[in-house]
Amino acid sequence: FKGRSSLSAMLKDYACLAEGLVHLYDITQEPEWLMRAEKLAEEMVAKFWDQQSGGFFMTDAVGDGTPLITRPKEGGDGATPSGNSIAVHLMAMLAARTGSPQYMAKAQKTLEAFAQEINQQPASFTYMLIGAAEALYGETGPKQYGGAMGKVMAQAAWVASDTIEVTIFLKNGFHINTNAPSDKGLIPTSLKLSPTSKGWRLEQVTYPKPAKIKYGDLKTDLPVYTDKVRIFAKVKATESRPLKGPVLALSMQVCSSRECLAPDILTLSLGLPK
């Protein structure tokens, strides 16, 4: 009514909208969407977080003025995921993209709050367990974040029936080494098939032309990859078996002008060829 809802938003409303904003960020790489997701997540924590036991209540303490004897806190999934399941997934996604430890802490505390119920009926917590797996081991699929929490994002896609494109997005101020760095102590960027991709091989991997930057006390410019990096690879079957699942292993090391982070290996999935 007059631009306002007649009912107060519940936990699931906040969690679903924030998760959608994160997906918008993934698609566009526009920082505004991630900032909006973080702001909404902060409001969600302020309104619904259980300070004593962890996890999220379904409703705000104030709400729409309707008095409740208790504030319910639902964890198990029904026909759709519960608010807490979506919240765990959201917190894991934000942790991977921002590097903020507060999000991972909230995901872990929520999992602890429902640990006994999960152990008793794990099938009722499928979406929450997906979020738990992503918090522990990282996300699966054609897009992956790395570089010490979100400094780099890589995605893989078919551009032809026998050609794969891997696109790497780096945040401002960060770079990765080329596939043939000038210093032997630097970790090269490399694209290979994962060990699970038996019956296939990469025929040809084409890396882009590097940029050159000043780095530390080096007298000469250092060739690196910055901003948006595109790698192409030709793929050929050596056996009659499908190429599916996590098939690509992208190795790289993210650096700034002051330091290099620990090397990353991102495992990327692919859909069916074009």
Side-chain angles (χ1 to χ4, degrees):
F1 180 70
K2 294 183 179 181
R4 297 180 61 86
S5 171
S6 59
L7 297 174
S8 298
M10 300 176 69
L11 168 64
K12 186 180 289 189
D13 301 314
Y14 277 81
C16 284
L17 180 55
E19 188 182 61
L21 291 171
V22 175
H23 286 300
L24 274 175
Y25 168 72
D26 286 348
I27 294 169
T28 65
Q29 287 297 292
E30 292 290 339
E32 178 186 358
W33 299 120
L34 187 60
M35 292 172 59
R36 290 189 181 189
E38 287 195 88
K39 183 177 180 181
L40 201 60
E42 290 171 5
E43 293 180 10
M44 185 180 80
V45 170
K47 288 178 175 289
F48 305 105
W49 182 251
D50 184 349
Q51 296 286 354
Q52 293 184 340
S53 304
F56 294 87
F57 293 111
M58 290 175 60
T59 59
D60 189 353
V62 178
D64 59 3
T66 303
L68 295 174
I69 298 175
T70 60
R71 294 177 70 191
K73 188 165 61 173
E74 180 185 28
D77 301 329
T80 60
S82 70
N84 272 285
S85 290
I86 301 169
V88 169
H89 193 245
L90 169 65
M91 294 298 163
M93 294 173 75
L94 289 175
R97 288 153 180 79
T98 67
S100 178
Q102 64 174 327
Y103 298 124
M104 192 61 72
K106 287 291 187 292
Q108 291 173 343
K109 286 290 186 181
T110 303
L111 289 167
E112 291 172 6
F114 294 98
Q116 185 174 354
E117 296 175 53
I118 293 173
N119 286 331
Q120 292 173 348
Q121 293 182 311
S124 298
F125 292 83
T126 51
Y127 201 68
M128 188 178 290
L129 289 173
I130 291 172
E134 292 182 354
L136 288 170
Y137 308 113
E139 297 173 32
T140 60
K143 288 185 180 181
Q144 296 290 316
Y145 284 84
M149 300 293 190
K151 301 296 188 300
V152 60
M153 189 271 275
Q155 64 181 24
W158 292 97
V159 292
S161 60
D162 64 345
T163 306
I164 294 168
E165 178 183 2
V166 174
T167 309
I168 305 169
F169 299 89
L170 288 145
K171 287 191 174 180
N172 291 337
F174 292 90
H175 64 267
I176 56 177
N177 302 316
T178 67
N179 62 303
S182 56
D183 191 312
K184 292 183 179 180
L186 298 175
I187 305 297
T189 296
S190 67
L191 182 67
K192 299 179 180 179
L193 289 177
S194 66
T196 59
S197 303
K198 295 180 180 179
W200 291 79
R201 70 168 180 258
L202 293 184
E203 291 273 286
Q204 175 185 344
V205 180
T206 305
Y207 296 92
K209 183 179 179 180
K212 291 187 176 182
I213 64 170
K214 289 287 185 182
Y215 192 80
D217 298 327
L218 293 177
K219 295 181 180 180
T220 58
D221 292 345
L222 185 70
V224 297
Y225 298 140
T226 61
D227 301 324
K228 184 178 179 181
V229 184
R230 300 173 71 190
I231 301 171
F232 294 91
K234 294 282 187 181
V235 185
K236 184 176 181 179
T238 58
E239 298 177 16
S240 180
R241 62 172 68 190
L243 183 64
K244 60 182 180 180
V247 298
L248 296 171
L250 176 65
S251 301
M252 59 188 166
Q253 185 174 29
V254 180
C255 303
S256 68
S257 60
R258 295 179 297 176
E259 62 178 351
C260 284
L261 306 176
D264 268 315
I265 299 179
L266 303 184
T267 304
L268 304 170
S269 299
L270 284 168
L272 295 174
K274 288 190 173 184

